[in-house]
Amino acid sequence: MEDERKTPEMRAQMTDVERLRHSTAHVLATAILKIWPEAQFAAGPPVDNGFYYDVDLPHRISPDDFEKIEAEMKKEIKANHPFERMEVSRHEALELGKKGRLAALTDRDQPSKFKLDIIENIPTDEKISLYRNGDFIDLCAGAHVMRTGNIGAFRLTSVASAYYKDDEKNPQLQRVYGTAFKTKKELDEHFAMLEEAKKRDHRKLGKELEIYIIDEDVGPGLPLWLPRGAAIIEELEKLAKETEFAAGYQRVRTVNIARERLYKKSGHLPYYAESMFPPMELSEDVEAIKRDELTREESDIASTVQRSNSSTKYYLKAMNCPHHHKLFAAVPRSYRDLPLRLAEYGFCHRYEQSGELFGLMRVRSMQMNDAHLYMTPEQFGAEFNAVNEMYLNYFKLFGLDKYLMRFSTHDPTKLGQKFVDESELWKQTEEMTRRVLKDSGINYVEVPNEAAFYGPKIDVQVWSVIGREFTIATNQVDFAQPRLLNLVYKDRDNTEKTPLCIHRAPLGTHERFIGFLIEHYAGNFPLWLSPEQVRILTITDEPQLLDYSRAILNELRGHQVRAEIDTSTDKINGKIQRAEQMKVHTMFVIGKRDMEASAVSVRLHGRGNLGAKSRGEAIADILSSIKERRA
RNA sequence: GCCGACGUAGCUCAGCUGGUAGAGCAGCUGAUUCGUAAUCAGCAGGUCACGGGUUCGAAUCCCGUCGUCGGCUCCA
């Protein structure tokens, strides 16, 4: 973890509301100390939508304590103490810390251990400052509001645990979260907004709209798709297949398991074993194992993996690349075959830590919009660019505009350790990637030292409705695996060369992408993606009317439209209510009047009654909207 | 995986400090034949996540397991 200390310049740039929240964190600490004087504090920064303060305390703070703590905070705000800044020498700061006087109201028996540690990490050339409000003195670089009374409206929101300095090896502290605004009105609006956001949560909508389930008997993180969810999957795959076909991709199919050997050879196993499902051991092909003794090199790669003399192991695949690489290697390749683009909606399984699972967004089984592109170095720029274009076209189609492209590069000092030792290739591919990004005028951030071990990558970050950040799509350069798996093509000059590989997944995985789309559209999918595109609602269930309605239903289905008919004995209002609740995109309301005019009354979800249209026109509208994938 | 909270009918939830479960919706049956967000009535539905323990008695208290949620670490 890098040092995330803010520079004095960054402090000066804190927004007013950040100052306010940071100051509220100090007031929170003040209040906690009044109740539990032995509390030890670590860091208390402002964050998106609020602030937190990490505290080490034998008492387990629970939401039941919030009222008491907030009451103390209110007293401190009412007292309207000024926030006084004091600059001290390193020595003075350390002395105060030893007396337990930092992040405290008085001297104490125990030193302010976390604060002492933080002082140790402040660069020697940087000034050390304290902030004081009332009796509370804290080691803090600022910035703060003038007085505690400037804090307008605040509320404690939750308590969770967090590792000190965000490191799993450090002890866990209690992290008390809160939020603060200048006015009560803003605070109320903030909570109203959160309530709205919860209604869009894909886990809630996914259940209500019957898109997917996660069943305990099947297992955590293993979503099953109901027909409505499967319909969305089919549409996404259709989109991907059409797009990729037009872009010169070829589809392949691979299996879901492979022998341990494959992952040993690809070099994945030592790195990925942790995040793979444990292997299945089969004893039947021991002979095969004996025949296929590994070379010394392969054994070295696999040295961390235990070998068995009596059985062979099969792994559920966690990634598609090794399988695709095998397909590349299966046929002699000429430079004339390149670029070769192999695509598959591959099923992958990863054993994610239980605490990481999150609805559809973080699962253990996933279907990936995967493809591997093999090319010569000269072809790289054009291929990478084309992949990027594909992304942007998809995003335009989905009206996705709040995303961040994160360009991860290597750190030259870590060549040969964290990154494969190919200085020139790193430089080349990174420069080519950077140019593609610049030329297309996309906003992106460059993050050094975050690349994959086999090459630089671009991740597209989006945010779930409750503010969690996710990588929705990825575009990675790989110049290591082709070598590990001995992938070669015969070049013009009759020599064998190793291709470059691009690993890309513009639509990410079905799970995460659909989870995201549910929230993005708040469940109101465009017609082409709608699980149920048209529902026919009959005013009565008289036989003639049913015949007419069923004929329309059959016509729609004949055109592959996902249409249903509601022939229940409810009144029309009841039928509409149910269709609206399921967010059915288009409703055809059909009564006697419509039948006699050979028409239907069209009603759109959320937009109400559009009035009668001729049967032919209404159906033609549906078909063209679907065909064009209109928003 | 770690810390904390939670887990009652298909869904949303009620069930006070322990006295062996209740509503609405959905479902089923019947009646109603109705023009743009809920027609009426009846019926049925629960080893209160699971397993132990305390107790005369546990949905309620304790322990463990599983799962979910909020975070942390991690990631498509």
Side-chain angles (χ1 to χ4, degrees):
Chain A
M1 184 86 205
E2 288 96 322
D3 185 10
E4 297 234 333
R5 280 183 51 76
K6 291 189 173 64
T7 62
E9 293 73 36
M10 288 162 77
R11 294 273 174 180
Q13 283 168 8
M14 273 169 81
T15 62
D16 288 352
V17 73
E18 280 173 334
R19 280 165 205 261
L20 180 83
R21 287 169 179 168
H22 185 42
S23 300
T24 314
H26 278 230
V27 170
L28 166 64
T30 310
I32 289 176
L33 284 161
K34 290 211 166 131
I35 303 166
W36 300 283
E38 72 277 25
Q40 291 286 350
F41 290 88
V47 290
D48 288 350
N49 298 322
F51 63 87
Y52 66 79
Y53 217 133
D54 283 344
V55 55
D56 187 24
L57 184 66
H59 171 80
R60 285 267 150 224
I61 296 175
S62 82
D64 297 339
D65 296 318
F66 286 176
E67 205 179 321
K68 194 163 54 173
I69 299 171
E70 285 176 348
E72 286 297 335
M73 290 174 73
K74 280 177 188 149
K75 280 189 213 164
E76 180 64 20
I77 289 168
K78 202 167 177 197
N80 200 18
H81 291 124
F83 278 99
E84 298 170 63
R85 181 185 169 93
M86 297 170 280
E87 286 188 4
V88 295
S89 68
R90 177 168 299 256
H91 178 72
E92 287 170 300
L94 288 171
E95 285 305 307
L96 285 169
K98 283 176 194 158
K99 287 193 289 186
R101 189 62 184 94
L102 294 177
L105 303 170
T106 60
D107 289 353
R108 298 185 296 181
D109 299 338
Q110 298 295 318
S112 304
K113 54 183 174 183
F114 301 111
K115 297 294 177 180
L116 285 173
D117 184 60
I118 292 168
I119 293 171
E120 300 293 337
N121 289 306
I122 297 178
T124 45
D125 57 338
E126 207 174 290
K127 283 179 181 159
I128 293 182
S129 61
L130 309 178
Y131 272 85
R132 174 190 195 115
N133 55 289
D135 294 328
F136 180 73
I137 295 177
D138 200 355
L139 174 76
C140 177
H144 286 283
V145 293
M146 297 298 288
R147 312 184 72 94
T148 56
N150 293 112
I151 294 169
F154 74 93
R155 197 187 299 172
L156 298 184
T157 50
S158 64
V159 57
S161 88
Y163 298 103
Y164 179 53
K165 287 184 176 175
D166 290 343
D167 189 332
E168 209 173 2
K169 291 189 265 310
N170 286 333
Q172 284 199 320
L173 308 173
Q174 302 188 60
R175 178 166 290 181
V176 183
Y177 282 89
T179 190
F181 289 87
K182 273 186 208 155
T183 61
K184 173 89 165 48
K185 185 163 172 274
E186 287 169 284
L187 183 75
D188 291 342
E189 280 168 3
H190 172 70
F191 282 101
M193 206 188 69
L194 289 183
E195 283 306 308
E196 277 308 303
K198 273 188 202 157
K199 289 184 195 161
R200 288 180 159 231
D201 192 314
H202 76 279
R203 292 166 298 182
K204 182 176 160 64
L205 286 175
K207 186 185 274 183
E208 287 172 358
L209 302 182
E210 295 176 14
I211 291 171
Y212 76 99
I213 58 158
I214 292 178
D215 185 277
E216 283 193 26
D217 287 340
V218 177
L222 303 173
L224 307 183
W225 298 93
L226 289 154
R228 288 170 176 274
I232 301 173
I233 287 185
E234 297 288 341
E235 287 297 340
L236 289 178
E237 293 201 5
K238 197 153 75 178
L239 171 69
K241 286 173 186 174
E242 287 173 11
T243 307
E244 287 161 6
F245 182 83
Y249 289 58
Q250 293 170 287
R251 301 209 77 77
V252 295
R253 315 284 292 199
T254 63
V255 296
N256 289 327
I257 59 173
R259 280 185 176 169
E260 185 177 38
R261 275 165 46 197
L262 177 63
Y263 302 117
K264 281 180 178 173
K265 286 181 180 172
S266 73
H268 274 101
L269 208 41
Y271 301 100
Y272 277 78
E274 278 297 292
S275 54
M276 291 172 81
F277 276 81
M280 305 161 240
E281 292 211 38
L282 302 183
S283 53
E284 55 195 28
D285 46 8
V286 180
E287 289 309 310
I289 273 281
K290 281 182 186 156
R291 270 201 312 277
D292 301 317
E293 279 305 315
L294 295 173
T295 65
R296 193 165 166 273
E297 193 184 6
E298 286 162 353
S299 300
D300 286 346
I301 292 169
S303 60
T304 57
V305 182
Q306 228 190 345
R307 297 196 53 210
S308 163
N309 292 323
S310 59
S311 65
T312 180
K313 292 177 185 164
Y314 280 80
Y315 277 91
L316 211 41
K317 77 176 170 194
M319 67 296 290
N320 301 306
C321 9
H323 292 72
H324 287 185
H325 295 334
K326 282 294 183 189
L327 291 173
F328 180 92
V331 178
R333 304 291 180 182
S334 144
Y335 71 95
R336 294 172 190 277
D337 300 328
L338 305 185
L340 183 76
R341 311 179 187 92
L342 303 180
E344 174 179 22
Y345 248 108
F347 228 122
C348 296
H349 290 79
R350 298 182 186 171
Y351 193 75
E352 304 289 353
Q353 296 186 66
S354 60
E356 252 82 278
L357 302 175
F358 179 70
L360 283 178
M361 305 290 249
R362 191 72 185 277
V363 294
R364 284 178 174 164
S365 74
M366 66 210 89
Q367 299 168 70
M368 205 180 292
N369 172 223
D370 216 350
H372 293 90
L373 286 58
Y374 304 88
M375 71 213 74
T376 67
E378 297 73 48
Q379 292 167 331
F380 175 80
E383 284 305 304
F384 196 83
N385 202 24
V387 169
N388 239 50
E389 296 272 304
M390 194 182 280
Y391 276 69
L392 296 176
N393 283 332
Y394 281 144
F395 293 173
K396 203 153 70 182
L397 175 65
F398 292 108
L400 207 159
D401 45 18
K402 269 182 245 153
Y403 60 86
L404 175 72
M405 291 256 182
R406 201 175 60 188
F407 174 35
S408 302
T409 56
H410 80 301
D411 178 345
T413 65
K414 291 181 184 162
L415 282 174
Q417 302 151 44
K418 189 172 172 182
F419 306 110
V420 291
D421 198 1
E422 295 277 5
S423 184
E424 265 314 298
L425 277 172
W426 277 107
K427 268 192 253 171
Q428 275 175 32
T429 51
E430 284 178 3
E431 186 42 43
M432 285 191 279
T433 311
R434 198 176 287 116
R435 201 165 54 235
V436 167
L437 282 167
K438 280 194 175 139
D439 289 352
S440 41
I442 312 166
N443 271 333
Y444 72 95
V445 290
E446 189 165 330
V447 196
N449 196 26
E450 288 287 308
F453 77 93
Y454 47 72
K457 61 174 179 175
I458 295 175
D459 288 325
V460 185
Q461 304 300 113
V462 294
W463 287 265
S464 81
V465 79
I466 62 166
R468 271 200 217 192
E469 184 181 348
F470 288 96
T471 301
I472 195 87
T474 187
N475 187 6
Q476 311 184 345
V477 184
D478 181 352
F479 47 75
Q481 281 198 69
R483 184 151 302 166
L484 278 169
L485 284 165
N486 291 322
L487 305 188
V488 291
Y489 63 93
K490 190 66 74 71
D491 208 352
R492 259 194 185 81
D493 58 6
N494 200 29
T495 60
E496 290 197 327
K497 299 230 170 84
T498 306
L500 273 181
C501 176
I502 290 176
H503 172 130
R504 42 110 280 175
L507 297 176
T509 62
H510 281 323
E511 288 71 18
R512 187 171 287 179
F513 204 78
I514 291 174
F516 179 78
L517 286 182
I518 291 171
E519 300 189 352
H520 176 64
Y521 290 120
N524 304 314
F525 295 100
L527 186 62
W528 70 276
L529 265 181
S530 285
E532 185 176 345
Q533 294 169 314
V534 180
R535 187 181 292 186
I536 296 170
L537 313 176
T538 54
I539 303 268
T540 68
D541 60 356
E542 288 159 308
Q544 264 190 313
L545 198 56
L546 287 187
D547 287 348
Y548 176 67
S549 300
R550 289 213 169 96
I552 293 173
L553 175 74
N554 290 336
E555 186 176 347
L556 285 166
R557 287 185 173 166
H559 289 293
Q560 306 299 309
V561 177
R562 291 184 291 275
E564 300 291 335
I565 187 164
D566 183 348
T567 57
S568 66
T569 59
D570 283 296
K571 284 166 64 171
I572 191 64
N573 280 340
K575 295 186 185 184
I576 286 170
Q577 167 88 7
R578 283 207 312 251
E580 291 280 356
Q581 276 171 347
M582 289 308 279
K583 299 179 188 284
V584 174
H585 187 283
T586 299
M587 287 151 270
F588 283 179
V589 176
I590 301 179
K592 221 179 212 162
R593 286 207 303 265
D594 302 293
M595 181 173 66
E596 281 160 4
S598 211
V600 302
S601 292
V602 179
R603 181 189 169 98
L604 296 185
H605 168 60
R607 277 192 272 169
N609 186 7
L610 300 190
K613 245 184 214 178
S614 81
R615 173 178 171 174
E617 198 188 339
I619 292 174
D621 284 354
I622 296 285
L623 296 181
S624 65
S625 174
I626 293 172
K627 186 159 184 241
E628 294 163 28
R629 297 197 170 100
R630 250 180 256 153

